[in-house]
Amino acid sequence: MNVYDSDRMADILAPLGYEPTEQVGQADMVILNTCHIREKAAEKVYSELGRMRSLKANRKADGQDMILAVAGCVAQAEGEEMLRRAPYVDMVVGPQSYHRLPELIAQLSRQGNHVLDTDFPVDSKFDHLPRNDRASGPAAFLSVQEGCDRFCTFCVVPYTRGAEFSRPVDHIVAEAQDLRDGGVREITLLGQNVNAFHGLGPDGKDWGLGRLIRELARIEGIERLRYTTSHPRDMDDALIEAHAEVAELMPYLHLPVQSGSDGILTAMNRRHSADDYRRIVDRLRRAVPDIALSSDFIVGFPGESDQDFADTLRLVTEMNYAQAYSFKYSARPGTPAAVLDNQVPEAVKSERLAMLQELLNAQQMAFNQACIGRTLPVLLERRGRDDNQLVGRSPYMQAVHLSLPAVARQRMMGTIQPVVISAAHPNSLSGRVALDAAAFDGGGGTVGPNPASVNGTLGGSA
Ligand code: SAH
Ligand code: SF4
């Protein structure tokens, strides 16, 4: 979501004459868009600010100015405190106020002092942002929902992003059409708790995520849809049915469980049991047998015993994840779990994280290896590290690398191609464009005309 938000900040500043630069030392304005989810992320902001401070001083020595702004959830959480700790920061702006950046810049130039905006305005920022039609590739993000009312006891999101809010369906559809007009083929719908989506539909009723997905799938040219991040409690029937019936909805789901222990899940206020999660996954797999499942895990939540952790390992073994993210519990100021007195020692957390990651990595590798020999539709999104490479995504969210001659690279960029998978790596696959498009066997996404027949020989694995 921060990637999406940063792009929108660039959009809103464009009419003022700002444009993005890679040369940070020469920038008139630097915005750090920050994350507060774990301590490490939040601390990084201050070390980065130290670096910006000297760049700002260098510019000053050259007689030029640099506005230094901090946006995002660290800005929201720290507010005034940030200006005390880093007084050279000019602007602190929370995630619900960034549509006010032009106003804040004007205010700053008027008063020449710090400006701070960490309100949760009544009117949504989405009503004030310019249209999002600046597609930067064939795959794009689209925020449909923000904030969260679930209050898991470890999590800062409800405090930094604020209350749950869903955008109206017609605004989302218009944004998706604009993205399509800009060449986007795949859209990932975003929200902190995206399947809690309940946006106002054109019929005056609240629409859930399943219904929204069906509507977006009807837009000509949008070939792939994904969404993230979901809460197990909000996986309703309509959404599971959409997985079974909407071809554009990719067979991949990031559905965080956090822990396999019912005691820990209760202490986390997740409001579902490990068995509830098993049942949801079971229904999803009946709807989409090849669905690639992903999750988040927290190890070392306060009070987590060896048995609790063993329950997590057991759940992981049963679920067989295609990929996952795992973290050591990080106490976040202001959250209920941070003040519990049964905190788990750091060394135990590290040991558990290593064990969990070993299991998850093995599952991911096995999932990737099982793709060897299959022909998967791959949306080619960007150039690879090597000049002759293109990188795309499989329906299952794996990065796929291909080596191609220049003509083919140009022709295929931004299209979905059938790719024969020839090798599996821990975090990616490699392959070559299928010479026989009929061999295609992957779920989701149509396969475009096969330029292989036009160009003769193509491919070679990356
Ligand atoms: N809304 C999503 C998750 C949003 S935060 C959900 O409900 O699952 C992304 C991930 O960060 C979480 O799934 C969790 O695994 C991790 N996370 C959040 N707070 C954390 C904390 N205090 N310590 C460690 N990991 C945390
Ligand atoms: Fe945080 Fe997700 Fe829980 Fe909301 S549902 S409080 S975003 S972990």
Side-chain angles (χ1 to χ4, degrees), residues 319-339:
M319 291 299 107
N320 208 1
Y321 288 99
Q323 72 116 57
Y325 303 94
S326 44
F327 314 100
K328 288 192 263 188
Y329 169 71
S330 167
R332 307 309 293 127
T335 60
V339 292

Side-chain angles (χ1 to χ4, degrees), residues 37 147-159 191-193 229-232 234 256 258 268-270 296 298:
I37 198 81
C148 185
D149 296 336
R150 285 222 168 265
F151 291 93
C152 301
T153 55
F154 53 81
C155 184
V156 290
V157 168
Y159 311 97
Q192 267 83 36
N193 186 7
T229 294
S230 307
H231 191 290
D234 295 305
Q258 315 297 355
M268 285 176 164
N269 190 33
R270 290 292 285 182
D296 290 340
I298 295 177

Side-chain angles (χ1 to χ4, degrees), residues 115-133:
V115 291
L116 174 83
D117 190 340
T118 51
D119 290 345
F120 289 113
V122 219
D123 49 341
S124 157
K125 66 185 170 205
F126 291 108
D127 297 337
H128 299 275
L129 291 168
R131 293 179 82 122
N132 177 19
D133 52 5

Side-chain angles (χ1 to χ4, degrees), residues 206-397:
D206 272 3
W207 286 26
L209 189 64
R211 191 152 180 209
L212 176 69
I213 284 170
R214 284 179 195 270
E215 187 69 17
L216 294 173
R218 291 177 41 206
I219 300 176
E220 186 90 28
I222 297 297
E223 299 195 41
R224 291 178 158 196
L225 292 165
R226 306 180 187 273
Y227 58 93
T228 200
T229 294
S230 307
H231 191 290
R233 276 283 295 246
D234 295 305
M235 256 352 269
D236 62 17
D237 292 346
L239 187 52
I240 295 177
E241 275 162 29
H243 270 284
E245 293 165 14
V246 179
E248 289 80 1
L249 185 55
M250 291 292 96
Y252 167 87
L253 180 62
H254 182 64
L255 189 63
V257 67
Q258 315 297 355
S259 167
S261 152
D262 286 344
I264 294 297
L265 288 170
T266 304
M268 285 176 164
N269 190 33
R270 290 292 285 182
R271 300 199 290 160
H272 63 79
S273 65
D275 278 347
D276 292 334
Y277 184 83
R278 287 182 176 93
R279 277 189 287 271
I280 294 163
V281 170
D282 199 45
R283 287 176 55 209
L284 274 160
R285 284 190 163 144
R286 263 182 279 140
V288 187
D290 66 336
I291 198 162
L293 190 64
S294 163
S295 179
D296 290 340
F297 294 91
I298 295 177
V299 298
F301 182 84
E304 187 188 67
S305 66
D306 286 341
Q307 183 55 53
D308 291 322
F309 179 62
D311 289 345
T312 298
L313 292 180
R314 183 161 59 91
L315 183 72
V316 171
T317 306
E318 290 167 26
M319 291 299 107
N320 208 1
Y321 288 99
Q323 72 116 57
Y325 303 94
S326 44
F327 314 100
K328 288 192 263 188
Y329 169 71
S330 167
R332 307 309 293 127
T335 60
V339 292
L340 295 174
D341 52 16
N342 47 359
Q343 300 289 327
V344 173
E346 208 49 37
V348 176
K349 287 187 201 171
S350 301
E351 198 183 320
R352 288 180 186 165
L353 186 68
M355 280 171 76
L356 176 61
Q357 289 187 339
E358 193 183 320
L359 178 57
L360 289 168
N361 289 342
Q363 291 188 343
Q364 180 168 346
M365 192 67 206
F367 184 86
N368 288 348
Q369 269 164 346
C371 294
I372 294 176
R374 289 186 66 187
T375 304
L376 300 177
V378 173
L379 172 60
L380 296 167
E381 290 177 19
R382 58 186 168 89
R383 307 174 66 124
R385 217 176 290 152
D386 295 342
D387 276 352
N388 63 347
Q389 260 187 351
L390 286 187
V391 187
R393 294 235 173 241
S394 76
Y396 311 116
M397 230 8 223

Side-chain angles (χ1 to χ4, degrees), residues 46 85 392 394:
Y46 283 99
R85 202 170 149 186
S394 76

